[in-house]
């Protein structure tokens, strides 16, 4: 491990987004000099494997792919020759989010590939928030899709998993046989709106200002969630998951990738980047609007973050199927993971789907 100089640490601290964070960052980064950081190269951290030991209901061996200077982690389960299901998570989660779904797919004879985005799970993490961008995440997932040579795959994406994965699908449509989306979006715009949409969004976040955790949960909306995650000094991953649909018994597993706040740069900045690719996403929509393969929209009825965004998919994708999942919140994988996986298996096998299902139809 390379130990940066004191001067380097001071410079990194000074680059923090908020002046108040500078001192905290300097103190945290000084721990590097004491040999307490897992820095694989300057500015890139790797969560120690010991943090992932004995996770509840997650017995899956890690798999790694080196893409440039970044090591990506992915789960790869089921028969090698089975039809592949690609599951991409959102934030602040990781592939652990799919622990209830993976057994349903493998039991049905499918192969499951579930990567961790850069900055999450077992994948490497940039310390600097400025290192993260929407297109960067897309490029890493494209690299994994190509390296594994996925073909005739079924894609499922929720939250940021949809924003990123749908761009992968639009870039490599021939690799995918069908698509499933839940509680996600693909914000897009053309013309003047495409140019000014993101600056106006950033202005709205600034106007919202800093929020306490209690203020956020009293009225969770997407702009308020962005403002909270952008301004808070140390994102409380476990508390957020508990509030937005996480199983309280496994909150430690969601905190495992983040030994301290230095590891959370992606989790803190990604919400702020959601509308940063409006014009590029409109190009992706041009592919999806001509999609001639099965497409399933399976949103929940209790998600305050993406409520109403299913209308975009239902109006713009040709002949989509639509199933509402009742009694589930934003993280549908937690609230109705097994039921959702069974629904996707039925969709893959061409069975008739109901107009709605309930999260408690089977054990969660």
């Amino acid at each position: 491990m390379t130990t940066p100089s004191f001067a380097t640490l001071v410079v990194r601290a000074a680059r923090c987004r908020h002046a108040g964070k500078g001192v905290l960052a300097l103190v945290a980064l000084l721990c590097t000099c004491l040999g307490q950081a897992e820095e694989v190269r300057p500015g890139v951290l790797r969560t120690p494997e010991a943090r992932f030991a004995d996770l509840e209901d997650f017995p899956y061996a890690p798999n790694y792919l080196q893409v440039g200077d970044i090591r990506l982690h992915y789960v790869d389960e089921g028969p090698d020759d089975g039809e592949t299901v690609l599951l991409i998570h959102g934030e602040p989660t990781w592939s652990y989010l799919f622990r209830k779904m993976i057994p349903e797919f493998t039991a049905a004879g499918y192969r499951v590939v579930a990567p961790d985005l850069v900055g999450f799970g077992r994948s490497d993490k940039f310390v600097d928030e400025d290192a993260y961008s929407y297109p960067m995440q897309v490029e890493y997932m494209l690299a994994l899709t190509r390296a594994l040579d996925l073909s005739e795959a079924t894609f499922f994406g929720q939250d940021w998993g949809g924003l990123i994965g749908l761009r992968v699908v639009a870039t490599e449509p021939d690799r995918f046989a069908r698509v499933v989306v839940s509680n996600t979006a693909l914000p897009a715009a053309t013309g003047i709106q495409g140019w000014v949409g993101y600056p106006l969004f950033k202005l709205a976040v600034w106007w919202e200002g800093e929020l306490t955790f209690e203020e956020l949960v009293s009225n969770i909306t997407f702009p308020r969630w962005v403002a909270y995650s952008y301004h808070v000094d140390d994102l409380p991953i476990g508390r957020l998951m508990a509030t937005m649909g996480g199983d309280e018994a496994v909150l430690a597993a969601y905190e495992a990738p983040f030994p301290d706040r230095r590891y959370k740069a992606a989790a803190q900045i990604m919400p702020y980047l959601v509308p940063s690719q409006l014009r590029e996403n409109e190009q992706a929509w041009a592919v999806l609007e001509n999609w001639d393969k099965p497409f399933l929209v399976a949103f929940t009825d209790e998600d305050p973050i993406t409520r109403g965004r299913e209308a975009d998919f239902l109006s713009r994708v040709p002949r989509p199927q639509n199933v509402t999942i009742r009694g589930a919140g934003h993280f549908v994988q937690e609230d109705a993971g097994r039921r959702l996986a069974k629904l996707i298996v039925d969709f893959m096998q061409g069975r008739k789907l109901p107009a709605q299902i309930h999260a408690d139809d089977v054990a969660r």
Side-chain angles (χ1 to χ4, degrees):
M1 179 183 70
T2 301
T3 301
S5 67
F6 180 82
T8 300
L9 296 175
V10 172
V11 170
R12 290 183 194 168
R15 288 176 178 171
C16 283
R17 185 174 62 239
H18 307 292
K21 288 188 175 183
V23 174
L24 290 173
L26 180 56
V27 170
L29 286 166
L30 281 172
C31 293
T32 306
C33 292
L34 301 177
Q36 296 178 3
E38 298 74 31
E39 194 172 38
V40 293
R41 67 181 179 87
V44 177
L45 299 175
R46 181 172 296 167
T47 305
E49 282 296 318
R51 299 274 300 182
F52 302 102
D54 302 321
L55 296 180
E56 184 174 333
D57 297 328
F58 202 71
Y60 309 116
N63 300 273
Y64 296 105
L65 174 69
Q66 192 72 30
V67 180
D69 291 329
I70 292 295
R71 190 181 76 170
L72 295 177
H73 165 261
Y74 63 100
V75 173
D76 194 341
E77 295 292 323
D80 291 339
D81 59 351
E83 188 175 343
T84 302
V85 183
L86 174 64
L87 309 173
I88 301 184
H89 69 86
E91 71 90 32
T93 66
W94 58 292
S95 53
Y96 184 79
L97 182 65
F98 297 111
R99 71 191 182 283
K100 299 178 182 180
M101 301 177 67
I102 293 171
E104 301 295 337
F105 291 124
T106 56
Y110 297 113
R111 176 192 181 195
V112 178
V113 173
D116 291 339
L117 298 174
V118 179
F120 299 91
R122 283 183 161 108
S123 289
D124 287 347
K125 300 163 182 69
F126 293 110
V127 175
D128 188 354
E129 290 179 1
D130 291 339
Y132 291 96
S133 71
Y134 188 161
M136 176 272 282
Q137 295 283 16
V138 173
E139 286 302 316
Y140 278 108
M141 289 299 101
L142 272 171
L144 181 135
T145 299
R146 291 163 176 165
L148 298 182
D149 196 22
L150 299 187
S151 64
E152 292 299 305
T154 295
F155 165 67
F156 170 78
Q158 177 264 340
D159 193 86
W160 261 105
L163 278 85
I164 294 166
L166 289 171
R167 288 278 294 273
V168 173
V169 170
T171 303
E172 297 273 2
D174 292 342
R175 292 186 180 275
F176 296 92
R178 57 189 73 79
V179 170
V180 184
V181 293
S182 179
N183 295 354
T184 189
L186 192 63
T190 57
I192 295 297
Q193 187 177 356
W195 287 102
V196 304
Y198 189 41
L200 290 176
F201 173 79
K202 291 192 285 187
L203 179 62
V205 172
W206 172 82
W207 182 262
E208 196 73 54
E210 296 186 26
L211 300 170
T212 66
F213 185 83
E214 290 71 25
E215 288 172 334
L216 171 68
V217 299
S218 70
N219 179 27
I220 298 179
T221 64
F222 177 64
R224 286 167 64 83
W225 158 237
V226 175
Y228 175 77
S229 62
Y230 183 79
H231 289 294
V232 69
D233 283 331
D234 189 353
L235 198 67
I237 305 294
R239 292 183 72 190
L240 283 167
M241 290 302 297
T243 300
M244 299 179 69
D247 184 341
E248 291 194 15
V250 297
L251 296 186
Y254 287 113
E255 295 172 342
F258 311 107
D260 60 56
R261 64 180 298 277
R262 295 168 298 156
Y263 294 74
K264 298 180 182 180
Q268 300 224 200
I269 197 62
M270 290 295 286
Y272 192 68
L273 302 176
V274 166
S276 63
Q277 291 266 287
L278 296 176
R279 289 172 295 128
E280 294 82 357
N281 282 355
E282 190 62 44
Q283 296 172 14
W285 273 113
V287 176
L288 297 176
E289 287 177 329
N290 290 286
W291 190 257
D292 60 357
K293 290 173 277 190
F295 196 108
L296 173 61
V297 180
F299 277 51
T300 70
D301 65 342
E302 297 180 6
D303 178 21
I305 303 298
T306 64
R307 181 181 292 120
R309 297 313 297 260
E310 65 270 30
D312 295 338
F313 298 104
L314 296 175
S315 63
R316 300 190 71 171
V317 175
R319 299 174 299 281
Q321 297 186 67
N322 183 35
V323 177
T324 300
I325 303 174
R326 303 211 173 272
H330 182 65
F331 291 108
V332 59
Q333 302 94 322
E334 284 289 346
D335 290 344
R338 293 187 180 92
R339 187 66 188 91
L340 173 60
K342 290 178 181 293
L343 174 70
I344 295 174
V345 169
D346 287 343
F347 172 64
M348 295 174 69
Q349 297 182 356
R351 300 191 183 105
K352 184 177 180 179
L353 304 182
Q356 64 181 30
I357 61 173
H358 294 268
D360 57 0
D361 281 353
V362 297
R364 295 185 180 186

